[in-house]
Amino acid sequence: LAGMAGQLELASAVSIDRQQTLARGAAGLAGYSYNRGRVSLRFVLKATSPTYTTMSLGPESDRDLVEQSTSVGISIGRSTNVSAQIGFARSRDAGDHARGSVVFNQQIAKTVFGQVIASRDDRHFGINAYEAFATLSVQLPDNHTASLSGFVSGSHAESTVSVNHPIIGRTGVGYQGSATLAAQPRATATLQGQNRYVRADASYFYDRQGSHTLVDASGSVVWMKDAGLFFSRPIYGSFAVVEVPKSQGVTGYLNNQPVGRTNADGVLFIPDLQAYYGNRVHVDTADLPDDWQVDDGEVLVAPPPHGGARLVFESRRLRAVRGRLIPRGLELEGIRYGELSVRVRGQTYTSPIGHNGEFELEGMPSGDWPAEARGETGYCTCRVPVPVDGKPIEWIGVVECAAQEASP
């Protein structure tokens, strides 16, 4: 329930567990949130019965029977945010406990960010725990990130420096490294790389147990009927085979992101589709010659896990065949302003007939095709020759059209 004064949230659930003994349970939630301008507020109250069960919570597990939390956030200017949270709970087995925290976020410069978190946890029997965490991160050129962080509690303290560069896009190289100074020092370094055919990882770990190095590489081999055999980097979801016949170098897109170009056979293998979700696939017609076009635009596919879809984008040449009809056996007036139609392999191409018998047919394949011209008072038949690999606009000259006694 939402309105000008905030949003109210109500939820409830019941459970029945029959794995060992019959256990019935129930849970409920009431929440209120307000967010306007620079201030945000959220209040949540949850209640759970002693034997309420979920997929991750069995009837024998401890749980909070009653839990309340309140959080407040305030934005100060464009670069500072302060928030505080306090919560109380009563557990079935562990008893009462409470937790409070304060978070301070500050954008120090355009690419420099800082965060400080302080918290206190109060447990049953007077056990208290304090923790503080601070981090300073810097965004460097070319998608590099460096950070320095520190953590301190009642039992130990440590500081960590790290650098990170993720793999940008579907191919490339990325790395991550960190070193922690503490009572038990540790360090990690990871190098990752992938291209169209393979993904490789190399990792180094150091801790008090010693050092460890891991290296692995993986890929996939896919065969699809009517499409062929493909080699690819690992397929975690689904894949698609995009075909633009006889068109090399056409860019394929997955969810509006370029993923590669078609090979010499006009084929592109895409290994990054999400299973059972709608994946939008299309090709860039700007990569085709000016006198070619693709019949279909965007295709939405949802293959099963480790399954694929074969997508054929039929391309055809944009050709205009121009000429002029000369009737034999009837006057031009009989077909003037009528229609010329040519039927090719089950498809009909038509053109209006001009004042002097002019016509223009678009998209016709090469060959010598039978045609007929019809007007208000006349009907004639002819053949329209379309040259092989001709110009985008082809003038075939005068075409004689033989008059017929009656229109079928």
Side-chain angles (χ1 to χ4, degrees):
L1 303 174
M4 295 293 294
Q7 180 173 327
L8 180 64
E9 179 182 3
L10 299 172
S12 62
V14 296
S15 67
I16 299 177
D17 186 280
R18 296 191 178 92
Q19 291 186 0
Q20 296 179 358
T21 59
L22 181 63
R24 295 185 177 93
L29 177 148
Y32 170 78
S33 60
Y34 174 86
N35 192 339
R36 178 167 296 183
R38 299 179 181 274
V39 179
S40 63
L41 170 68
R42 180 169 174 79
F43 174 87
V44 177
L45 178 63
K46 295 189 290 184
T48 305
S49 68
T51 55
Y52 177 69
T53 305
T54 66
M55 294 296 293
S56 59
L57 180 69
E60 73 286 350
S61 302
D62 190 17
R63 80 281 312 285
D64 290 334
L65 301 178
V66 179
E67 180 183 359
Q68 182 276 325
S69 65
T70 302
S71 60
V72 179
I74 301 175
S75 296
I76 305 172
R78 296 183 177 181
S79 58
T80 305
N81 178 271
V82 180
S83 62
Q85 181 176 1
I86 186 170
F88 304 92
R90 171 163 292 180
S91 298
R92 186 190 65 184
D93 303 331
D96 298 341
H97 59 96
R99 181 177 176 83
S101 64
V102 177
V103 180
F104 177 83
N105 291 285
Q106 172 72 50
Q107 182 177 355
I108 302 171
K110 184 177 181 180
T111 60
V112 182
F113 303 86
Q115 183 183 66
V116 177
I117 302 174
S119 66
R120 169 174 170 165
D121 196 358
D122 295 308
R123 293 285 176 176
H124 199 43
F125 303 117
I127 301 175
N128 302 325
Y130 296 88
E131 294 180 345
F133 177 84
T135 182
L136 181 70
S137 61
V138 182
Q139 295 180 354
L140 302 174
D142 298 326
N143 295 293
H144 292 74
T145 303
S147 66
L148 175 65
S149 60
F151 172 82
V152 61
S153 68
S155 59
H156 72 285
E158 63 181 39
S159 59
T160 301
V161 60
S162 64
V163 291
N164 178 59
H165 175 63
I167 296 177
I168 305 300
R170 291 172 170 83
T171 60
V173 176
Y175 67 86
Q176 182 178 14
S178 66
T180 300
L181 178 63
Q184 299 178 0
R186 58 189 182 274
T188 63
T190 302
L191 179 65
Q192 302 171 333
Q194 66 180 24
N195 57 19
R196 294 172 52 191
Y197 306 107
V198 67
R199 177 184 176 90
D201 298 85
S203 301
Y204 171 82
F205 305 91
Y206 169 82
D207 55 23
R208 66 174 183 173
Q209 303 295 331
S211 60
H212 316 274
T213 303
L214 299 175
V215 178
D216 68 84
S218 57
S220 300
V221 179
V222 177
W223 180 84
M224 174 178 278
K225 184 180 179 182
D226 300 325
L229 183 68
F230 302 93
F231 297 91
S232 168
R233 60 180 176 269
I235 299 173
Y236 301 108
S238 305
F239 63 90
V241 177
V242 173
E243 298 182 21
V244 187
K246 301 179 181 180
S247 300
Q248 181 179 3
V250 178
T251 304
Y253 287 80
L254 173 62
N255 299 323
N256 294 324
Q257 297 295 320
V259 291
R261 292 178 177 269
T262 56
N263 59 19
D265 298 322
V267 178
L268 171 64
F269 185 84
I270 305 177
D272 303 309
L273 275 67
Q274 296 187 55
Y276 293 139
Y277 284 86
N279 300 269
R280 294 177 295 163
V281 180
H282 73 278
V283 296
D284 190 354
T285 57
D287 292 333
L288 294 168
D290 293 337
D291 56 341
W292 283 79
Q293 75 172 15
V294 174
D295 291 336
D296 296 322
E298 186 176 82
V299 178
L300 189 68
V301 293
H306 301 287
R310 179 174 177 241
L311 308 175
V312 181
F313 294 85
E314 292 291 349
S315 61
R316 60 188 178 92
R317 189 177 184 188
L318 295 173
R319 298 187 62 188
V321 177
R322 295 176 179 176
R324 185 163 66 90
L325 293 174
I326 299 295
R328 300 302 183 193
L330 79 158
E331 297 294 330
L332 177 60
E333 186 67 28
I335 61 171
R336 179 178 288 157
Y337 307 127
E339 183 179 76
L340 174 67
S341 60
V342 185
R343 189 162 183 82
V344 179
R345 301 168 186 160
Q347 183 174 355
T348 301
Y349 300 85
T350 61
S351 168
I353 300 173
H355 179 80
N356 297 315
E358 307 94 335
F359 65 87
E360 180 175 303
L361 297 162
E362 295 183 352
M364 286 186 56
S366 302
D368 189 36
W369 310 108
E372 58 183 31
R374 297 176 184 272
E376 291 187 1
T377 60
Y379 167 68
C380 62
T381 59
C382 61
R383 299 191 71 85
V384 176
V386 181
V388 177
D389 297 329
K391 303 175 183 179
I393 300 178
E394 191 77 38
W395 171 256
I396 60 175
V398 172
V399 176
E400 296 187 355
C401 192
Q404 303 298 318
E405 295 183 359
S407 176

